[in-house]
Amino acid sequence: MTTQDIATQEWREMKIDGFMTLIGPLLRTKDADQQYRYALQTNESHKNHLGSIHGGVLTSLLDQVIAITAWNAADRQPTVTVQMETRFLGVARAGDFLTLQPSIRQATRSLVFVDADITCDDRLVASASAVMKISKTSGETP
């Protein structure tokens, strides 16, 4: 995907402090069904020693997008990751435009179950399932 393609899809940069500033910027848009989609334009800094996008980058992206999705589902109450299972299913290279599609599997009063996929040009790169705890205060531990 080129920069022009990104602009035509109306991707917007999210302002996220902390660790994500080292990886991002994380981009966001809404699809035709008004569901949020997220993305990262990768570059050379995201590579591992084999030349593919580092698994830690992919896992961090999944965790961030899942956390945002859970936070929205919990009426913007803080959420923390209790468990996340990640499956690496393909390879991404520097320069790839990675898109993430999250979905809520189930939500209770205290937990949100979220799935997310990372794709590149309709190729599945990674997938995750997570359990997120709704926290009454941001300092609460799971």
Side-chain angles (χ1 to χ4, degrees):
M1 187 169 281
T2 67
T3 304
Q4 184 178 8
D5 293 333
I6 296 167
T8 60
Q9 291 192 15
E10 299 182 15
W11 291 96
R12 301 286 182 247
E13 184 176 323
M14 296 184 70
K15 302 295 183 200
I16 301 174
D17 292 332
F19 180 71
M20 277 307 295
T21 62
L22 301 173
I23 296 173
L26 184 64
L27 307 172
R28 180 174 69 184
T29 192
K30 281 189 179 180
D31 62 19
D33 296 327
Q34 297 300 302
Q35 298 298 312
Y36 282 117
R37 292 179 54 224
Y38 301 86
L40 174 71
Q41 176 62 63
T42 64
N43 59 45
E44 295 292 316
S45 71
H46 297 111
K47 295 188 322 186
N48 61 22
H49 69 284
L50 299 174
S52 58
I53 300 303
H54 194 285
V57 171
L58 300 175
T59 303
S60 295
L61 278 172
L62 287 162
D63 188 48
Q64 183 67 61
V65 166
I66 285 170
I68 292 167
T69 303
W71 178 71
N72 281 319
D75 295 324
R76 297 187 170 195
Q77 293 181 76
T79 60
V80 294
T81 307
V82 174
Q83 176 185 0
M84 187 171 90
E85 177 185 323
T86 306
R87 296 162 296 280
F88 299 102
L89 306 165
V91 175
R93 303 275 181 211
D96 284 350
F97 187 75
L98 304 179
T99 59
L100 294 91
Q101 182 68 54
S103 62
I104 303 288
R105 189 171 359 110
Q106 183 179 356
T108 69
R109 287 184 304 159
S110 60
L111 299 172
V112 183
F113 300 82
V114 185
D115 299 323
D117 293 328
I118 297 178
T119 58
C120 178
D121 297 326
D122 298 323
R123 244 181 334 101
L124 193 56
V125 174
S127 181
S129 299
V131 179
M132 305 297 289
K133 181 175 180 2
I134 300 169
S135 174
K136 299 303 177 203
T137 63
S138 59
E140 183 179 322
T141 58

